[in-house]
Amino acid sequence: MTAVVPLTPAFVRGALRLEPTARGVAPHRLPAWALAQAADPQLSMVEAQGAGVRIAMRTAATSVTLTAHRTRVTYAGAPARPDGSIDLIVDGDVVRRTRTSGGTTTELDMVTGQPTVIPGDDLVATFDGLPARVKDVEIWLPHNETLEIIEVTADAPVTEAPLVGRRWLHHGSSISQGSNAARPTGTWPAVAARLGGVELQNLGFGGAALLDPFVARVMRDTPADLLSVALGINLVNSDLMRLRAFRAGLHGFLDTIRDGHPSTPLLVVTPLHCRIHEATPGPGAFDTEAIAEGRLAFMATGDPAEVPAGRLTLESIRTETTRLVAERQATDPHLFLLDGLTLFGAADEAAHPLRDALHPDAETHRFIGERFAQHVFTHGPFTS
C-alpha cells in the first residue's frame, strides 16, 4: 500500500507557516504579517529556506519518497554553490543523505543586481531499505534552499511522531541558519539540538538578524521551553544603527519576548569571532578582488575612528550586550549570557579561517554546535 503523509504542522516541523501552493505546500519560518512589516526581499528569501524544517512521522515503512521543487540563488562570477542536502534520520540517527537537483535557479549579478531565472525539473528523493519495524523518521529539508513540498509517500501507514524533547526556539543570523554548512543536520543549531535532545525551531535568517520587533513578537507568541538569541554580526555588517539605538533595541526585543515567556530560560549569545568586523565597523561588502579570483568573500568598509561616536563593531556589541544582560539579571533570574568567543574565538578563527571571511565551514559548524551543547545543555542554563 501507499500512504500519503499529511502536509500539516503535525508532520512538517520547524515551520511557522505552511503556504498552500498549486501542488503542495511551501514551508515558511515567519508568518505572512511579519514579512509584510519587513518588506525586505532578503528576509523574504531566507525565511522561506528550510533551516530546521523537517517532515516527521512514525511508521513501519521500508521506503519513503519526497517529491519537491527547489528554488535557489547563485551569484554570477562566483563559484557555484553546492547543491543542497536532504538528510534522513531514523530513531535519532542520520542514516541517509541525498543531494537536491533541478528546480528554479535565480542567478544574481553582484554588480548590477540583475537576476536571471533558470527553470528546472522537480526532484524525487526516495529512501529505500529502511528497517522493517515501527520507527521515527525525519526528512530534513535543505537549510539554504527553498523547497516546495509536493508530496511525501510511504509504503506503510504513518502517524504523528512524538516530540524528541523540549522545544528550543533560536534566533540568529546566517551563521545560525547554517551558511557554509554541508547539510541541514550539520548546522550548528541542529548539531546542538541533537546533542541536547531538544526539538529545534530555527529562526536563523541570513543577513536579517536585525533586532526587528516583529521577530520578537513571533518569539513571544511561539510555544517554547527554551529561548535563545544570537545578535550582532548583521547589525555591524548592515551598518543599520548606532550604539544608542542598539541598546534600546535590544532592551525592547527582550522585553517583547518576556511578554509571552516571562520565566522561560532565555539565553543571549554575544557574537562569534569574525576578524574583519572585530574592530572595524560596517557596512560589509563583497570583496571584489576575491570575486575576480573566482571566490566569494566579504570585507568591512567602515572607519574604526568612528567607533567612539557609536558606530558598531563586534567588540562594542559584546561589551554593551554583556552590560545590558547583567543589568536585566537583577530582576530576571531566568536570563542568561553566553560569550560567543567561547564558541568561536580568535584562536579558533586562526585555526579554522572563515573561508569567505564571514561564515564558518562545515567542520566549524560541528564544533560550534558541540561547544554550545556542552556550555548550554550539559552544564549550563538549559540543563534538564
Side-chain angles (χ1 to χ4, degrees):
M1 66 166 293
T2 298
V4 178
V5 179
L7 300 180
T8 64
F11 289 88
V12 184
R13 307 267 179 87
L16 290 178
R17 176 168 61 102
L18 297 176
E19 177 189 3
T21 67
R23 299 190 294 169
V25 299
H28 290 268
R29 295 182 295 128
L30 281 176
W33 65 261
L35 293 180
Q37 289 194 0
D40 176 18
Q42 173 70 18
L43 180 60
S44 295
M45 176 180 71
V46 297
E47 69 84 33
Q49 296 171 343
V53 178
R54 62 270 186 199
I55 301 153
M57 70 196 83
R58 176 163 283 181
T59 182
T62 60
S63 179
V64 177
T65 297
L66 165 69
T67 304
H69 189 89
R70 74 169 179 173
T71 302
R72 66 197 303 246
V73 176
T74 61
Y75 297 94
R81 173 178 285 178
D83 290 326
S85 173
I86 299 171
D87 289 358
L88 184 77
I89 293 180
V90 174
D91 288 337
D93 295 324
V94 182
V95 299
R96 210 75 62 79
R97 175 190 189 189
T98 187
R99 286 292 187 183
T100 58
S101 61
T104 302
T105 300
T106 299
E107 184 180 77
L108 292 178
D109 186 308
M110 290 183 286
V111 177
T112 67
Q114 183 67 30
T116 301
V117 178
I118 306 166
D121 297 328
D122 295 337
L123 69 89
V124 178
T126 297
F127 301 96
D128 289 324
L130 306 183
R133 55 174 168 78
V134 176
K135 56 198 168 294
D136 292 330
V137 175
E138 293 182 344
I139 303 172
W140 282 60
L141 305 186
H143 60 284
N144 56 359
E145 296 178 342
T146 300
L147 219 62
E148 175 194 14
I149 307 170
I150 299 171
E151 186 179 59
V152 181
T153 59
D155 64 358
V158 300
T159 59
E160 295 180 25
L163 298 180
V164 299
R166 293 172 296 169
R167 298 163 298 180
W168 173 34
L169 179 61
H170 173 73
H171 171 53
S173 67
S174 57
I175 299 171
S176 293
Q177 182 175 343
S179 187
N180 283 350
R183 57 199 305 174
T185 57
T187 69
W188 81 254
V191 171
R194 293 185 64 240
L195 290 172
V198 298
E199 188 86 9
L200 172 66
Q201 183 99 41
N202 190 341
L203 298 185
F205 303 126
L210 297 171
L211 278 179
D212 287 316
F214 54 81
V215 174
R217 290 196 292 277
V218 168
M219 297 187 73
R220 175 196 66 190
D221 299 337
T222 300
D225 303 302
L226 308 164
L227 299 157
S228 58
V229 293
L231 298 165
I233 186 66
N234 290 160
L235 295 168
V236 175
N237 61 26
S238 67
D239 195 32
L240 185 68
M241 60 180 63
R242 299 297 177 260
L243 188 62
R244 168 65 175 80
F246 169 72
R247 175 178 172 80
L250 182 55
H251 267 303
F253 198 91
L254 298 177
D255 284 343
T256 300
I257 293 174
R258 277 297 185 228
D259 287 342
H261 299 279
S263 60
T264 302
L266 171 55
L267 176 69
V268 178
V269 185
T270 64
L272 308 185
H273 195 273
C274 178
R275 179 187 56 79
I276 63 172
H277 280 304
E278 284 298 315
T280 303
F286 289 111
D287 185 334
T288 54
E289 292 184 3
I291 292 172
E293 297 171 358
R295 57 188 179 88
L296 180 63
F298 299 89
M299 58 187 294
T301 67
D303 184 355
E306 296 182 10
V307 173
R311 291 284 289 272
L312 294 177
T313 66
L314 295 184
E315 290 176 347
S316 64
I317 282 181
R318 282 192 206 98
T319 299
E320 189 60 31
T321 300
T322 301
R323 179 185 301 118
L324 183 149
V325 170
E327 292 171 359
R328 296 180 66 100
Q329 285 174 326
T331 57
D332 187 348
H334 305 288
L335 179 66
F336 305 93
L337 180 77
L338 177 64
D339 183 355
L341 297 181
T342 64
L343 301 177
F344 187 75
D348 297 311
E349 186 170 0
H352 306 274
L354 305 174
R355 68 182 186 188
D356 61 3
L358 201 59
H359 303 102
D361 60 16
E363 176 63 18
T364 307
H365 268 280
R366 180 190 61 76
F367 81 69
I368 291 172
E370 291 174 348
R371 287 179 176 179
F372 186 94
Q374 182 72 15
H375 284 285
V376 177
F377 289 113
T378 302
H379 299 297
F382 291 174
T383 302
S384 57

